Amino acid sequence: MIFRVFACYCLALLSAAASAAVVTLDAGLLEGKQQGGVSRYLGVPYAAPPVGELRWRAPQAVSPWRGVRKAHEYADACTQIGGFFASNDQATFDKPYGSEDCLYLNVWVPESGAQARPVLVFFHGGSGIAGTAAHPMYDGETLAKETGAVVITANYRLGVWGSLQSPALQTGNAAEDSGSFYLLDMIQVLDWARQNCQPLGCDPSNITISGQSAGAVAVLALLRSPLAEGKFQKAISFSGLPFSASMGEA
């Protein structure tokens, strides 16, 4: 009898941890998981896959989906060579890792009754050639719970896919011709956050961007970018320097 009661109790806990948290986003219904007082939505697309004709182009809007999309697992990292910033699995180190179809983000929403929560967006480090928002060290559950903020981590294009300026790629679009596709990805993340704040219970006028290492450098660039103007209110740069050079020097 005691065993049956204990088994039922354990099943109830597991059911509670796995219960669906469904929200209606711009692109469709999204099902997450509730865990530790936080609803988590993992592997959420914020842009169309940047492949084929969309390679080395500004990120495009997500195509709406039908039915309920499950957001229970992290998406692939962006294409890179595996290492510490990409994975905690040493078997993946020094090998091709990730996918070009990688423009996904993760969201942690505290389950408290508070409305209009602040938003904290975090961009990972990795020298602009490595890293992923899916790394275990970037799990946002505790941060969301302790701050009461909606926490967002996001992938962005890396290496030659994220930063490449070439006459062969010129389109006449000044943003695309800059070659800074990773920054355009980050701006798209901010647009996604602002557009989907209502179902997530957050305040689109209270967004803080933050980043570490390469992410910190990107934060400093976003502070200067007219394309990001008005899309965030605060910024935190962890361990980054503001790089700036003329085209000749570059």
Side-chain angles (χ1 to χ4, degrees), residues 23-30 41 44-47 62 65 105 107 109 117 119 150 152 188-204 207:
V23 292
T24 304
L25 304 182
D26 279 0
L29 296 172
L30 190 73
Y41 305 89
V44 183
Y46 69 85
V62 174
W65 58 79
L105 53 76
V107 186
V109 181
R117 303 175 182 89
V119 184
V150 172
I152 299 174
Q188 183 80 356
V189 170
L190 297 180
D191 288 338
W192 184 96
R194 287 157 53 85
Q195 292 163 4
N196 290 288
C197 253
Q198 183 174 357
L200 297 174
C202 60
D203 183 356
I207 296 177

Side-chain angles (χ1 to χ4, degrees), residues 120-150:
L120 176 62
V121 179
F122 177 80
F123 298 116
H124 65 77
S127 299
I129 59 173
T132 173
H135 201 291
M137 64 183 170
Y138 300 136
D139 186 291
E141 179 181 314
T142 299
L143 189 59
K145 187 189 305 183
E146 293 188 358
T147 64
V150 172

